[in-house]
Amino acid sequence: MSVAIRVIPCLDVKDGRVVKGVNFTHLRDAGDPVELAAAYGVQGADELTFLDISASTEGRETTRDMVTRCAETVFIPLTVGGGVRQPDDVDALLRCGADKVGINTGAIARPESINEITTRFGNQVLVLSLDARREVGMPSGYGVTTHGGTRSAGMDALEWVREAVERGCGEVLLNSMDADGTEDGFDLQMTEAVRNVIDVPLIASGGAGRAEHFVEAVRAGADAVLAASVFHYGQLTVNQVKQALDQAGFPVRL
């Protein structure tokens, strides 16, 4: 049997609250992270992703007590990202209850941190969080951004994701900064482009607005689909997305 497509709500956390904006700006409050985590556990989410979106910009570690409370509330895999730079950061988050850890800015600053982390914990623990956008002058047409999408890293997105997987990242969370929060659909061209250069699971993120958008992302090569706004504000439930995937012929855990 094929591996089930995972549906993953994302909690973007800033100052202890879940927030959501458009292209990472104009953030508005979406609720308490622990309450939302519990609700998504009941809804049937396959996993949860918890991103401390200001940790790198503010130069601090992820809010660990909140991670612990989320982990105690839900009994599905929890991926945590934000401010991860070295193996000790990963160790601390795993001890707080995270199952996987996302790395973005820290890996761009020191790519060898990927090798160090996966050598110590295994590649199944490390998710490359890739915030990418269309960028003129890049060989592939896609560039990497850091610090919550606020800065260009001056790197080609496809070259970087290939290197990160070769160094040991066991999964890639691809967030389209152009599509983020727009609800106009995932960036399907970018999803296909990344799918073609890696052989590890790919999570598509950024732009979901309707149930069919998730189906399109899976057709473009995603193994999992992640969204925030449409779930937080009640436009869609996890189950509605799974029903759409099921009707399109994709395996899901209903």
Side-chain angles (χ1 to χ4, degrees), residues 123-154:
N123 64 354
Q124 78 287 346
V125 158
L126 195 63
V127 180
L128 178 74
S129 187
L130 175 64
D131 292 342
R133 60 160 47 108
R134 282 171 165 71
E135 192 171 331
V136 176
M138 291 297 164
S140 69
Y142 303 110
V144 179
T145 70
T146 63
H147 298 80
T150 59
R151 301 182 200 173
S152 168

Side-chain angles (χ1 to χ4, degrees), residues 183-186 188 207-220 225 236 240-245 247-248 250:
E183 300 184 13
D184 293 330
F186 293 91
L188 304 179
R210 301 194 304 274
E212 56 263 35
H213 289 157
F214 295 87
V215 175
E216 292 167 357
V218 174
R219 287 199 179 114
V225 282
L236 286 171
Q240 285 172 322
V241 171
K242 289 190 174 188
Q243 295 283 358
L245 289 166
Q247 287 164 12
F250 295 109

Side-chain angles (χ1 to χ4, degrees), residues 130-202:
L130 175 64
D131 292 342
R133 60 160 47 108
R134 282 171 165 71
E135 192 171 331
V136 176
M138 291 297 164
S140 69
Y142 303 110
V144 179
T145 70
T146 63
H147 298 80
T150 59
R151 301 182 200 173
S152 168
M155 297 163 65
D156 183 84
L158 297 192
E159 290 175 6
W160 168 235
V161 74
R162 192 187 285 118
E163 178 185 345
V165 169
E166 285 173 357
R167 285 181 178 274
C169 283
E171 191 166 37
V172 173
L173 166 56
L174 171 65
N175 189 34
S176 166
M177 304 310 295
D178 298 316
D180 178 75
T182 62
E183 300 184 13
D184 293 330
F186 293 91
D187 189 326
L188 304 179
Q189 286 181 310
M190 187 189 288
T191 303
E192 286 178 4
V194 173
R195 172 76 285 160
N196 287 336
V197 299
I198 61 168
D199 58 1
V200 298
L202 174 62

Side-chain angles (χ1 to χ4, degrees), residues 4-9 36-48 74-77 231 237-243 252-254:
I5 301 297
R6 291 167 289 146
V7 178
I8 308 172
L36 280 170
Y40 291 134
V42 172
Q43 269 190 36
D46 296 298
E47 295 184 12
L48 268 182
V74 294
F75 303 99
I76 52 178
F231 293 144
T237 65
V238 170
N239 195 49
Q240 285 172 322
V241 171
K242 289 190 174 188
Q243 295 283 358
V252 288
R253 296 186 192 88
L254 291 169

Side-chain angles (χ1 to χ4, degrees), residues 20-104:
K20 194 59 201 164
V22 178
N23 309 127
F24 275 48
T25 61
H26 307 297
L27 301 177
R28 57 186 175 134
D29 189 87
D32 177 77
V34 180
E35 289 174 9
L36 280 170
Y40 291 134
V42 172
Q43 269 190 36
D46 296 298
E47 295 184 12
L48 268 182
T49 293
F50 178 111
L51 298 177
D52 188 331
I53 61 171
S54 57
S56 286
T57 310
E58 294 168 9
R60 59 174 173 74
E61 297 165 339
T62 307
T63 316
R64 291 176 185 167
D65 64 317
M66 198 164 290
V67 172
T68 301
R69 286 164 55 215
C70 284
E72 289 170 351
T73 304
V74 294
F75 303 99
I76 52 178
L78 177 64
T79 300
V80 180
V84 173
R85 295 176 186 82
Q86 58 191 356
D88 286 349
D89 298 332
V90 175
D91 184 58
L93 290 172
L94 295 177
R95 289 176 190 276
C96 289
D99 297 278
K100 293 185 279 188
V101 173
I103 192 167
N104 181 356

